[in-house]
Amino acid sequence: MSVKPLRIGVAGLGTVGSGVLRLLAQNANLIETRCGRALKVVAVSARDKSKKRKVDTGDAVWVDDPVSLAGHPDIDVVAELMGGAEGAARKLAEAALGAGRPVVTANKALIAAHGMALAGIAERAKTVFAYEAAVAGGIPIIKTVREALAANRVTEIHGILNGTCNYILTQMRLRRVSFEQVLEEAQARGYAEADPAADVDGHDSAHKLGILSCIAFGTELRMAHIVTEGIRHVTLADIGYADELGYRIKLLGVARMTGDGIEQRVGPCMVPLGKPLAGIEDVLNGIQLHGDYAGKMMLVGAGAGAEATASAVVADLIDLAAARTALPLGRPVGTLEKPQPMGAEKSRGCFYIRLTVKDKPGVVADIAAILRDHAVSMESMVQHGSPSGDAVPIAIATHETTLAEMQTAMAGIAALPIVLEPPCVMRIEQG
Ligand code: NAP
Ligand code: HSE
């Protein structure tokens, strides 16, 4: 007796939706052999029916309202590939899961905002809510943390979690071109979110870090606890100083579970050359984890783009077809613990500081005095002459201190009359 195909309703035919349809068509035989069932797209939906698509939708029926896929009689699973934390994406996921219909999504904004509620609905309806593609594109990080490392206490995550930002920072360094120019290229390649502010302001990385922390630490998904900073203020001058001081600038998501609470932050960091995360370039993502029994490990791969993301979406569909299931957040939602955020006085690290100062005697002494008063020790300093002769940039790398001391010292330095622009401060992160 032949097994019935898994019938899929796809909402969203953009970069990811088109990639999923292409992959399902191209690797149909391989997929059917691996999961013992054909995967067939029977319905599709997007905003604009008349738009010319980059992919052939075959004999799939067009559905005007994507939310109606939740109750469509001819489908077994909904692939939500529209994006957005609210609107059609949220309504579709809630309605489908509530009706006991599995949902596969790539939508990290939705999960970051409503993941616990959606996982709760899925648990109660005893259905599947899968989202491998939502974190780090083609890297199987959800499965790795939730299933392969299920026996471990994961204590640390360091990740390059946004392909667009990594692409921008890499290309700015290699070609010394502007932030705006490289952002346009990332958009043309299909890496960026519909609103690229989500990428460059760090929110997309924060969504992914929040999801990973939740499943790795078994703590509630609370976005408000993640201190988030983007890469708009990173200049070619910072990139030059990074080269000179022996670092690469990376937008890192860092989450650590410590005896003093949970530390979760996203921001541009100086990573020493030679450290594995420093070598991860362009659209690649990389995630370094520490499990108490598995030890330290790193996963690297394409973090964005149609093909890599489709690979993760279809892997979830294959799991469903093969009846391999897992609780969405790795444990019942009701057992997640309340995270206690770590205070700035406990958070420790080394820092990079870039200042623009008046070029006159005593300036460095004034800055050094404030750092001394807060017990911040300098590791190195670079100053070059300035072409104008009035304003001169200075770059400083510090030894380890607390974030609280650093913040107070920087408030004092920023207030000095010889400091001409708001200082730029970044963590130096070993990974
Ligand atoms: P996209 O290229 O902008 O495509 C979005 C698709 O959804 C379009 O087909 C659009 O319809 C449709 N859509 C949007 N709002 C809709 C609505 N209210 N009703 C009906 N259809 C709607 O976006 P994408 O890059 O494919 O991203 C899709 C999802 O995957 C997002 O959650 C994103 O965060 C996630 N993701 C993207 C990547 C990536 O590399 N791009 C990687 C991982 C995860 P029209 O075409 O008619 O406008
Ligand atoms: N915009 C995201 C990125 C897509 O650049 O990483 C993958 O989540």
Side-chain angles (χ1 to χ4, degrees):
M1 198 179 80
S2 70
V3 186
K4 283 188 183 159
L6 182 78
R7 299 166 304 168
I8 307 160
V10 175
L13 293 172
T15 303
V16 180
S18 306
V20 166
L21 262 63
R22 260 195 307 278
L23 194 169
L24 286 171
Q26 221 165 337
N27 289 355
N29 292 339
L30 174 97
I31 291 169
E32 184 170 354
T33 311
R34 288 198 173 144
C35 64
R37 260 174 110 176
L39 267 55
K40 190 166 166 43
V41 176
V42 297
V44 293
S45 183
R47 227 170 348 215
D48 180 356
K49 188 179 179 183
S50 66
K51 198 188 240 182
K52 196 163 162 31
R53 302 286 165 191
K54 288 187 193 145
V55 69
D56 181 6
T57 57
D59 54 5
V61 295
W62 172 272
V63 173
D64 280 331
D65 176 10
V67 182
S68 71
L69 291 172
H72 196 290
D74 298 329
I75 70 171
D76 302 310
V77 52
V78 167
E80 185 287 297
L81 307 172
M82 296 179 287
E86 303 297 337
R90 181 181 178 189
K91 283 188 195 141
L92 173 56
E94 285 176 348
L97 294 173
R101 178 162 287 177
V103 172
V104 169
T105 183
N107 189 339
K108 50 267 162 147
L110 174 73
I111 301 163
H114 306 294
M116 291 205 302
L118 291 170
I121 300 173
E123 269 178 42
R124 287 190 291 280
K126 297 195 172 16
T127 192
V128 169
F129 180 46
Y131 53 89
E132 182 62 69
V135 180
I139 304 177
I141 188 67
I142 299 297
K143 211 173 236 233
T144 300
V145 176
R146 188 181 57 194
E147 288 147 60
L149 295 176
N152 286 256
R153 280 181 199 285
V154 175
T155 49
E156 273 194 43
I157 303 167
H158 287 79
I160 296 173
L161 298 169
N162 186 271
T164 301
C165 289
N166 208 34
Y167 181 78
I168 292 173
L169 292 169
T170 304
Q171 293 300 321
M172 282 174 75
R173 178 177 69 79
L174 292 176
R175 290 157 45 207
R176 293 293 196 263
V177 283
S178 72
F179 170 86
E180 289 76 14
Q181 182 181 333
V182 195
L183 174 58
E184 272 180 33
E185 292 170 16
Q187 286 177 287
R189 287 166 182 249
Y191 302 156
E193 295 303 306
D195 175 5
D199 296 297
V200 300
D201 292 333
H203 305 300
D204 179 79
S205 295
H207 292 155
K208 293 166 181 169
L209 187 73
I211 296 166
L212 280 183
S213 305
C214 169
I215 57 173
F217 304 149
T219 46
E220 291 179 355
L221 211 170
R222 297 273 170 241
M223 292 306 298
H225 293 169
I226 305 180
V227 179
T228 304
E229 195 189 317
I231 61 164
R232 283 185 204 267
H233 64 288
V234 176
T235 63
L236 289 173
D238 295 313
I239 286 173
Y241 282 124
D243 270 350
E244 207 167 330
L245 293 163
Y247 302 111
R248 286 274 185 277
I249 302 178
K250 298 289 169 194
L251 182 70
L252 289 191
V254 178
R256 291 168 53 233
M257 182 55 100
T258 74
D260 294 315
I262 187 170
E263 183 176 26
Q264 289 172 291
R265 56 185 154 85
V266 168
C269 296
M270 295 270 178
V271 182
L273 289 174
K275 293 286 177 188
L277 287 169
I280 294 170
E281 299 277 53
D282 275 320
V283 72
L284 291 182
N285 282 191
I287 300 140
Q288 204 168 280
L289 297 161
H290 186 268
D292 57 353
Y293 272 67
K296 208 169 186 174
M297 69 182 64
M298 188 155 110
L299 282 83
V300 180
E307 288 79 16
T309 312
S311 159
V313 172
V314 176
D316 279 343
L317 292 168
I318 292 173
D319 274 351
L320 187 69
R324 288 190 292 266
T325 61
L327 282 172
L329 299 177
R331 59 200 279 178
V333 175
T335 69
L336 292 168
E337 287 163 25
K338 295 229 173 309
Q340 296 302 327
M342 177 194 260
E345 70 293 347
K346 298 283 184 195
S347 174
R348 299 189 67 81
C350 304
F351 294 85
Y352 157 89
I353 307 164
R354 176 176 50 79
L355 300 164
T356 305
V357 296
K358 273 191 191 154
D359 195 5
K360 63 177 220 174
V363 165
V364 171
D366 290 350
I367 294 163
I370 295 183
L371 292 175
R372 179 204 59 211
D373 292 347
H374 294 280
V376 179
S377 161
M378 283 199 269
E379 202 248 355
S380 52
M381 198 193 92
V382 180
Q383 185 196 330
H384 299 299
S386 93
S388 75
D390 304 331
V392 66
I394 295 181
I396 296 168
T398 76
H399 285 296
E400 189 172 294
T401 179
T402 65
L403 176 62
E405 288 289 12
M406 193 64 201
Q407 285 171 335
T408 329
M410 287 317 300
I413 290 172
L416 288 172
I418 45 111
V419 173
L420 302 174
E421 288 174 12
C424 168
V425 180
M426 290 184 217
R427 294 250 187 185
I428 298 172
E429 194 64 60
Q430 301 294 325

